[in-house]
Amino acid sequence: MGEIDAMKSLDDSLSSLEKDAQRRVLSWAWSKFVGADSGEAAPNIQGVKSSGKKVGKKKVPNKGAAPASGKKTVISMDKSLNLNPSGKTSAEDFVAAKKPSNVQEKCVVACFYLRDMMSVAQVNVSGVYTFFKHVGWPLPTDLKNALQKAGSSGWLDTADSENILITSTGENLVEHKLPKSKD
């Protein structure tokens, strides 16, 4: 099968799926054939048809997005989070064990900790912000964008900033690849 035939087959296969399923398949394919460890960021596949044309969307207000005036959105601390719980691993100890080396890895570690160690039902930008502040990490200029970049790497699903999900690739990063071994 040639490259053009493969593209036609992919287009035929993806066209029959709903948009969310298309994203999952493309994210899986990217991870399998290019890999999150390649250093190459996954393309932003949200809102793109399999034909490569932009899908028209209704203009929907985006919670947490910068206002049109150019002012940045202020993210608030989630004061309900106890990141030093008794009987559980503290956020500081978890970070020390995982040793994430860049801001995207830190975003995934924060989301993983909140979901798996703290049992937060819906991880959001405020929770990640609170985690960064609590462990003393410098904040990225645009935290929401940093989370989306971690999503582009296949580690997070950031389609809903009020319910950030960790993909199986993100789980594998935290559970099996961090801390990075020295080769």
Side-chain angles (χ1 to χ4, degrees):
M1 176 185 293
E3 190 174 336
I4 300 296
D5 292 332
M7 285 191 267
K8 285 179 183 174
S9 177
L10 183 61
D11 185 50
D12 291 342
S13 297
L14 290 175
S15 295
S16 65
L17 298 175
E18 292 184 16
K19 295 297 173 207
D20 287 342
Q22 288 175 350
R23 285 187 202 101
R24 285 190 299 274
V25 169
L26 289 171
S27 180
W28 168 84
W30 183 266
S31 296
K32 178 173 174 64
F33 295 104
V34 178
D37 293 332
S38 70
E40 209 176 315
N44 181 4
I45 58 174
Q46 238 175 341
V48 176
K49 260 181 151 176
S50 58
S51 65
K53 295 179 183 169
K54 251 330 210 173
V55 175
K57 288 185 177 182
K58 288 182 185 175
K59 199 80 164 150
V60 179
N62 187 0
K63 284 191 232 172
S69 65
K71 293 180 184 174
K72 293 286 181 186
T73 301
V74 176
I75 303 170
S76 301
M77 295 274 288
D78 183 344
K79 295 185 192 302
S80 69
L81 288 176
N82 174 10
L83 299 176
N84 201 14
S86 64
K88 292 184 180 181
T89 304
S90 70
E92 292 92 344
D93 290 344
F94 191 72
V95 164
K98 294 302 173 180
K99 297 181 176 125
S101 61
N102 60 49
V103 74
Q104 284 79 31
E105 287 179 0
K106 289 175 180 180
C107 287
V108 179
V109 166
C111 290
F112 184 94
Y113 182 85
L114 292 171
R115 184 195 73 178
D116 288 34
M117 306 300 281
M118 299 302 302
S119 302
V120 172
Q122 291 188 317
V123 176
N124 58 30
V125 177
S126 289
V128 175
Y129 174 84
T130 303
F131 187 94
F132 267 68
K133 296 290 279 183
H134 183 82
V135 299
W137 286 338
L139 291 166
T141 304
D142 186 344
L143 180 58
K144 193 170 182 182
N145 183 261
L147 286 159
Q148 289 169 343
K149 285 182 179 179
S152 293
S153 294
W155 296 328
L156 298 175
D157 177 347
T158 58
D160 179 357
S161 64
E162 291 301 312
N163 187 21
I164 301 166
L165 304 173
I166 304 169
T167 66
S168 57
T169 307
E171 288 177 353
N172 285 334
L173 172 73
V174 176
E175 292 174 346
H176 305 291
K177 294 183 178 179
L178 293 178
K180 291 181 179 170
S181 61
K182 295 177 184 174
D183 292 347

